[in-house]
C-alpha cells in the first residue's frame, strides 16, 4: 500500500519553510522527525556544491533514528560528507577541539567516554566520589552532585573538601598530560576556544562555508554550556534551528536545562519562536493524561489527538498494587491487558525510572550493582539476554568487553575507555567475538539446572576463550557467590521487557506500562497539584516522558495508597481512567 503523502499542518509548514535560525517548541507526537525530514528535503534541493547540513542530537539512539529515516527517504548522499549527523558532543569534538589540539600540550587529544566516572579517593578508605562531582575548570566540588552520592559538603570540614578537590585536580592533570578528555573537559576547551574572538571568527567562517544550516534536535537535553555553544553558532551568522520540548528535560543530573531553556528561547526574536502542537502519536485519553503531568504554569489544555488514533477510546489503566516492593504481578497483568487489546507483549515495554524497578515488575533478575566479578558477569549476561533493543544490547556488549579485559588483566590502572583509546581498538575487532561469548554464556534452566551449574559451565568456557597472563586461574577470578542464585533466569518469549525512562526518550510504542514506586509518586502528585515540593519537578517530567511514549494504551502501575488520588487528577484533565487492584 502506497503511504499517504505528508500533509503538514500550518504550524509544521511554518517550521519547514522557515529560513534562518529558530527556536521550535514541539509537544510529544507533534511529528518532529517528519518536520526535520521535510526541512532537510527543502535544504538538500537548494544546496551549493560542497555544502551540507549538520544534524545534531544528544543521544546515539536519537541520531540513529534520524539517520535511518533520512536514509529511508533517500535524502542522505553516500558518502555523507559534507553533511554531518551525530551527537552534540561529537560535533563539539570534531569542530571545536580535536583539530586544534590542547592548549600548551603536544600530545594528540583523545575523547574518553568514561572519565566522569573515575574514582576520586583522597586517602585510603575515604568515600569514593566520581570525577563528575568536580568542576573541570576550577576543580571545585559540586555540592548538589556530591550530596546525591552521599557526600554532604555542609557536614564536612574544609580540609576534607579541599583534599577531594586537590585529588580531583591531580587526576585531571594526569589525564590532560595523556591528552585524555572527558565530555565535560572537551566542552570546557571548546568554550575557551570560542571565547577567543580571533579564533572563534575563523572557526565560524569555516563552519559557515561547510554548513548551510545546523539543526539541534532534542535540545531539552542541553546543559547551560551547550546553550552557550549553540548561541555562538547562531550569533556567528550560521542558521541554527533548536528543536525541543522543555517538559521533557530529564537530564538534570548532568546540569540539564529547565528554566535555562525558557530564558534561551527569549533570546530569539518573536518571529523566530515557533510552536508545534497537536499529537499525531497518541489517543485522546493518553493526550489528556499526559497533559496532567505538566507543571501547573504550563499545563494548559491537552494536546489535540490528530493522528490515526484520534477516535481510539481505550481508557487509561491504573494498576493498584499493595506493599512497598514492586511486584511481578504488574508484568503478568500488563501482559493480560495487552493480549486482550490485540497488542504483542514484546512490542510494549514496562518503563520505570530505574532498571531495578522495571526488572521487579517484569519478574526478571534484579541487578545488585556489586563489583564482584562473578555477579557482574551474571548481570551483563542477563542484560544481553533481556535486551529490549539495540541500545541495550550495545551497552551489554561494551560492559562484557570491559569485564573480559579485566579478567584477562589487561586494564591495569586505566579505565576501559582509556585502554581502548591508548590501543586504538576498533569495536569491529572484538564485537562479534563478545556477542558469540554472551550467547554461549546465557543461562538455560534446561542446560544448567541451577546457578551452580551455570557457574561451572561459565568457568570452562572462559578458561578456553580468555588469555589470562597474570598467573591466576579463571576459578580464582570468578569465585562462587551465593547472590548468584537471584541473578539468573531463562530469557522470556513474547513478554513485556523492562526499559528505563531515559532509554525510551524519543521512541514510541503501541502500549506502555509506567511503574511508579511508593517512594516517589506521592510527592510527584503533590508537585503536580500545588507546585511544591519544587525538587519533584524532574521526577514529574520523567513521568511525562514515559507516559507520552504510548500510542494506543497507557497503563500506570502505582502503589495502592496513591491510586485513587492519581485517578482523580487524571479525570480532572478529562481522561477516562480505570483502576484495577492487583
Amino acid at each position: 500500500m502506497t503511504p499517504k503523502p505528508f500533509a503538514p499542518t500550518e504550524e509544521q509548514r511554518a517550521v519547514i519553510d522557515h529560513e534562518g535560525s529558530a527556536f521550535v517548541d514541539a509537544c510529544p507526537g507533534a511529528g518532529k522527525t517528519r518536520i526535520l525530514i521535510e526541512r532537510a528535503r527543502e535544504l538538500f534541493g537548494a544546496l551549493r556544491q560542497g555544502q551540507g547540513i549538520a544534524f545534531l542530537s544528544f543521544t546515539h539512539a536519537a541520531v540513529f533514528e534520524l539517520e535511518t529515516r533520512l536514509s529511508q527517504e533517500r535524502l542522505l548522499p553516500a558518502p555523507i560528507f559534507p553533511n554531518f549527523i551525530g551527537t552534540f558532543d561529537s560535533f563539539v569534538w570534531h569542530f571545536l577541539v580535536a583539530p586544534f589540539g590542547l592548549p600548551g600540550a603536544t600530545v594528540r587529544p583523545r575523547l574518553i567516554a568514561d572519565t566522569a566516572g573515575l574514582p576520586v579517593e583522597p586517602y585510603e578508605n575515604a568515600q569514593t566520589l566520581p570525577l563528575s562531582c568536580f568542576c573541570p575548570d576550577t576543580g571545585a566540588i559540586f555540592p548538589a552532585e556530591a550530596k546525591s552520592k552521599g557526600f554532604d559538603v555542609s557536614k564536612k570540614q574544609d580540609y576534607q573538601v579541599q583534599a577531594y578537590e586537590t585529588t580531583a585536580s591531580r587526576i585531571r592533570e594526569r589525564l590532560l598530560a595523556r591528552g585524555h578528555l572527558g565530555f565535560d573537559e572537551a566542552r570546557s576547551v571548546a568554550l575557551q576556544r570560542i571565547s577567543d574572538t580571533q579564533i572563534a571568527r575563523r572557526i565560524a567562517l569555516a563552519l559557515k562555508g561547510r554548513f548551510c544550516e545546523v539543526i539541534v534536535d532534542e535540545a531539552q537535553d542541553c546543559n547551560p554550556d551547550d546553550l552557550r555553544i549553540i548561541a555562538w553558532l547562531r550569533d556567528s551568522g550560521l542558521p541554527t534551528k533548536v528543536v525541543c520540548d522543555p517538559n521533557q528535560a530529564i537530564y538534570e543530573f548532568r546540569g540539564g536545562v529547565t528554566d535555562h531553556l525558557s530564558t534561551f528561547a527569549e533570546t530569539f526574536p518573536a518571529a523566530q519562536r515557533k510552536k508545534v502542537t497537536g499529537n499525531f502519536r497518541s489517543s485522546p485519553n493518553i493526550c489528556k493524561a499526559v497533559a496532567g503531568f505538566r507543571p501547573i504554569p504550563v499545563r494548559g489544555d491537552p494536546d489535540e489527538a490528530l493522528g490515526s488514533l484520534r477516535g481510539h477510546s481505550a481508557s487509561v489503566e491504573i494498576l493498584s498494587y499493595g506493599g512497598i516492593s514492586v511486584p511481578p504481578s504488574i508484568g503478568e497483568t500488563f501482559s493480560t491487558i495487552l493480549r486482550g487489546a490485540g497488542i504483542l507483549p514484546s512490542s510494549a515495554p514496562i518503563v520505570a525510572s530505574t532498571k531495578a524497578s522495571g526488572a521487579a515488575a517484569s519478574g526478571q533478575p534484579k541487578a545488585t550493582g556489586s563489583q564482584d566479578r562473578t555477579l557482574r558477569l551474571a548481570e551483563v549476561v542477563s542484560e544481553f539476554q533481556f535486551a529490549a533493543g539495540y541500545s541495550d544490547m550495545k551497552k551489554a556488549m561494551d560492559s562484557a568487553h570491559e569485564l573480559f579485559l579485566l579478567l584477562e588483566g589487561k586494564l591495569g590502572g586505566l579505565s576501559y575507555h582509556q585502554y581502548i583509546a591508548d590501543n586504538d581498538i576498533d569495536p569491529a575487532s572484538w564485537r562479534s567475538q563478545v556477542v558469540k561469548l554472551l550467547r554461549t554464556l546465557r543461562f538455560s534452566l534446561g542446560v544448567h539446572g541451577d546457578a551452580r551449574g551455570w557457574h561451572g559451565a561459565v568457568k570452562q568456557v572462559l578458561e578456553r576463550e580468555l588469555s589470562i597472563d597474570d598467573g591466576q586461574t579463571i576459578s580464582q577470578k570468578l569465585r562462587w557467590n551465593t547472590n548468584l542464585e537471584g541473578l539468573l533466569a531463562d530469557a522470556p518469549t513474547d513478554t513485556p521487557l523492562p526499559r528505563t525512562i531515559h532509554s525510551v526518550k524519543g521512541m514510541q510504542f503501541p502500549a506502555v506500562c509506567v511503574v511508579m514506586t511508593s517512594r516517589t509518586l506521592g510527592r510527584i502528585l503533590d508537585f503536580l497539584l500545588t507546585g511544591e515540593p519544587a525538587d519533584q519537578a524532574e521526577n514529574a517530567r520523567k513521568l511525562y516522558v514515559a507516559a507520552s511514549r504510548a500510542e494506543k494504551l497507557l497503563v500506570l502501575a502505582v502503589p495502592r495508597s496513591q491510586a485513587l488520588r492519581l485517578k482523580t487528577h487524571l479525570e480532572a484533565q478529562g481522561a477516562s481512567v480505570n483502576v484495577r487492584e492487583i
Side-chain angles (χ1 to χ4, degrees), residues 243-264:
V243 186
C244 65
D245 177 1
N247 293 307
Q248 293 190 56
I250 60 172
Y251 284 91
E252 195 170 295
F253 64 87
R254 66 179 286 272
V257 297
T258 47
D259 296 339
H260 297 89
L261 198 56
S262 300
T263 302
F264 182 60

Side-chain angles (χ1 to χ4, degrees), residues 96-376:
L96 298 178
V97 180
F100 309 98
L102 301 179
T106 57
V107 293
R108 179 166 68 96
R110 295 172 182 267
L111 186 62
I112 309 297
D114 57 3
T115 60
L118 289 175
V120 177
E121 186 180 13
Y123 46 85
E124 190 175 357
N125 296 324
Q127 179 184 347
T128 299
L129 292 177
L131 191 59
S132 60
C133 287
F134 302 86
C135 176
D137 296 318
T138 66
I141 196 167
F142 293 132
E145 180 76 7
K147 189 174 182 178
S148 73
K149 306 297 181 184
F151 188 92
D152 190 341
V153 174
S154 66
K155 297 179 180 179
K156 305 295 180 181
Q157 298 294 323
D158 288 345
Y159 77 87
Q160 292 175 300
V161 175
Q162 187 175 4
Y164 276 93
E165 292 176 340
T166 300
T167 302
S169 296
R170 287 173 179 167
I171 291 172
R172 283 203 164 98
E173 287 171 4
R174 291 196 295 269
L175 288 171
L176 286 174
R178 300 171 69 97
H180 291 180
L181 280 77
F183 294 123
D184 290 339
E185 290 79 12
R187 191 79 84 262
S188 178
V189 171
L191 288 169
Q192 292 174 32
R193 200 143 278 151
I194 64 175
S195 296
D196 185 312
T197 305
Q198 291 186 346
I199 295 175
R201 186 182 298 116
R202 291 200 294 270
I203 297 173
L205 285 172
L207 289 174
K208 286 190 287 186
R210 176 166 171 179
F211 301 118
C212 70
E213 187 163 294
V214 175
I215 299 174
V216 184
D217 190 19
E218 303 287 355
Q220 67 270 8
D221 296 341
C222 287
N223 63 32
D225 286 344
D226 299 333
L227 291 182
R228 287 176 60 191
I229 294 171
I230 293 170
W232 170 77
L233 290 170
R234 177 199 61 188
D235 297 342
S236 296
L238 181 56
T240 304
K241 287 190 170 59
V242 179
V243 186
C244 65
D245 177 1
N247 293 307
Q248 293 190 56
I250 60 172
Y251 284 91
E252 195 170 295
F253 64 87
R254 66 179 286 272
V257 297
T258 47
D259 296 339
H260 297 89
L261 198 56
S262 300
T263 302
F264 182 60
E266 295 298 320
T267 67
F268 288 77
Q272 294 182 359
R273 296 198 294 270
K274 308 291 183 181
K275 197 167 183 67
V276 186
T277 60
N279 189 319
F280 289 86
R281 173 188 302 156
S282 305
S283 69
N285 276 318
I286 293 174
C287 288
K288 292 169 184 174
V290 169
F293 299 136
R294 293 174 181 146
I296 293 171
V298 295
R299 185 165 299 158
D301 295 324
D303 297 308
E304 184 181 359
L306 299 176
S308 60
L309 296 172
R310 59 185 176 273
H312 195 70
S313 59
S315 297
V316 174
E317 296 280 350
I318 293 179
L319 305 185
S320 172
Y321 67 86
I324 298 175
S325 301
V326 172
S329 55
I330 291 173
E332 296 164 3
T333 307
F334 184 43
S335 292
T336 300
I337 294 172
L338 291 172
R339 291 188 175 93
I343 298 172
L344 288 174
S346 57
S347 69
I350 294 173
V351 180
S353 184
T354 65
K355 289 173 62 176
S357 292
S362 63
Q364 293 180 12
K366 182 179 177 180
T368 64
S370 170
Q371 292 303 302
D372 178 90
R373 286 173 291 199
T374 303
L375 299 185
R376 284 178 63 186

Side-chain angles (χ1 to χ4, degrees), residues 47 192 263 363 409 416 476 480 562:
L47 285 178
Q192 292 174 32
T263 302
Y416 171 63
Q476 290 173 307
W480 169 255
Q562 301 297 327

Side-chain angles (χ1 to χ4, degrees), residues 15 77 175 240 387 398 504:
V15 176
L175 288 171
T240 304
D398 290 346
V504 299

Side-chain angles (χ1 to χ4, degrees), residues 32-33 36 54-67 84-92 187 214-222 226 230 241 243 254 505-506:
K32 180 166 55 66
T33 303
L36 297 185
F55 300 92
L56 315 182
S57 194
F58 287 82
T59 66
H60 290 289
V63 170
F64 178 77
E65 168 69 14
L66 181 57
E67 188 169 6
F84 180 91
I85 298 183
T87 63
F88 189 83
D89 284 319
S90 65
F91 180 86
V92 168
R187 191 79 84 262
V214 175
I215 299 174
V216 184
D217 190 19
E218 303 287 355
Q220 67 270 8
D221 296 341
C222 287
D226 299 333
I230 293 170
K241 287 190 170 59
V243 186
R254 66 179 286 272
K505 276 186 95 280

Side-chain angles (χ1 to χ4, degrees), residues 249-538:
I250 60 172
Y251 284 91
E252 195 170 295
F253 64 87
R254 66 179 286 272
V257 297
T258 47
D259 296 339
H260 297 89
L261 198 56
S262 300
T263 302
F264 182 60
E266 295 298 320
T267 67
F268 288 77
Q272 294 182 359
R273 296 198 294 270
K274 308 291 183 181
K275 197 167 183 67
V276 186
T277 60
N279 189 319
F280 289 86
R281 173 188 302 156
S282 305
S283 69
N285 276 318
I286 293 174
C287 288
K288 292 169 184 174
V290 169
F293 299 136
R294 293 174 181 146
I296 293 171
V298 295
R299 185 165 299 158
D301 295 324
D303 297 308
E304 184 181 359
L306 299 176
S308 60
L309 296 172
R310 59 185 176 273
H312 195 70
S313 59
S315 297
V316 174
E317 296 280 350
I318 293 179
L319 305 185
S320 172
Y321 67 86
I324 298 175
S325 301
V326 172
S329 55
I330 291 173
E332 296 164 3
T333 307
F334 184 43
S335 292
T336 300
I337 294 172
L338 291 172
R339 291 188 175 93
I343 298 172
L344 288 174
S346 57
S347 69
I350 294 173
V351 180
S353 184
T354 65
K355 289 173 62 176
S357 292
S362 63
Q364 293 180 12
K366 182 179 177 180
T368 64
S370 170
Q371 292 303 302
D372 178 90
R373 286 173 291 199
T374 303
L375 299 185
R376 284 178 63 186
L377 180 60
E379 288 177 6
V380 77
V381 168
S382 288
E383 285 174 7
F384 186 78
Q385 236 175 307
F386 292 96
Y390 175 72
S391 62
D392 288 352
M393 291 180 69
K394 182 180 180 299
K395 186 176 179 181
M397 286 187 278
D398 290 346
S399 297
H401 187 224
E402 178 182 3
L403 183 55
F404 294 151
L405 290 172
L406 180 66
L407 291 170
E408 289 181 317
K410 291 183 177 177
L411 294 182
L414 299 178
S415 75
Y416 171 63
H417 287 283
Q418 283 180 295
Y419 177 83
I420 294 297
D422 277 358
N423 292 277
D424 289 319
I425 296 175
D426 188 331
S429 68
W430 59 262
R431 196 159 277 167
S432 61
Q433 178 63 17
V434 166
V435 169
K436 179 182 175 183
L437 268 177
L438 285 169
R439 288 173 175 163
T440 302
L441 298 177
R442 66 182 291 165
F443 175 77
S444 169
L445 191 62
V447 173
H448 302 113
D450 57 18
R452 279 200 178 273
W454 178 84
H455 181 240
V458 161
K459 289 190 293 183
Q460 289 181 7
V461 171
L462 294 184
E463 189 172 29
R464 183 176 67 247
E465 297 291 338
L466 300 185
S467 301
I468 300 175
D469 302 323
D470 59 8
Q472 284 192 312
T473 66
I474 197 67
S475 291
Q476 290 173 307
K477 290 174 177 282
L478 292 176
R479 298 184 184 279
W480 169 255
N481 190 309
T482 54
N483 291 322
L484 197 60
E485 301 279 0
L487 292 177
L488 299 169
D490 267 323
T493 57
D494 193 28
T495 188
L497 292 171
R499 302 284 297 263
T500 63
I501 294 173
H502 286 95
S503 75
V504 299
K505 276 186 95 280
M507 304 176 77
Q508 58 191 53
F509 306 92
V512 169
C513 176
V514 184
V515 178
M516 302 300 298
T517 65
S518 56
R519 180 182 301 176
T520 58
L521 182 56
R523 300 183 75 219
I524 291 174
L525 286 173
D526 289 342
F527 172 78
L528 292 173
L529 292 167
T530 69
E532 296 290 340
D535 63 5
Q536 291 304 301
E538 170 140 343

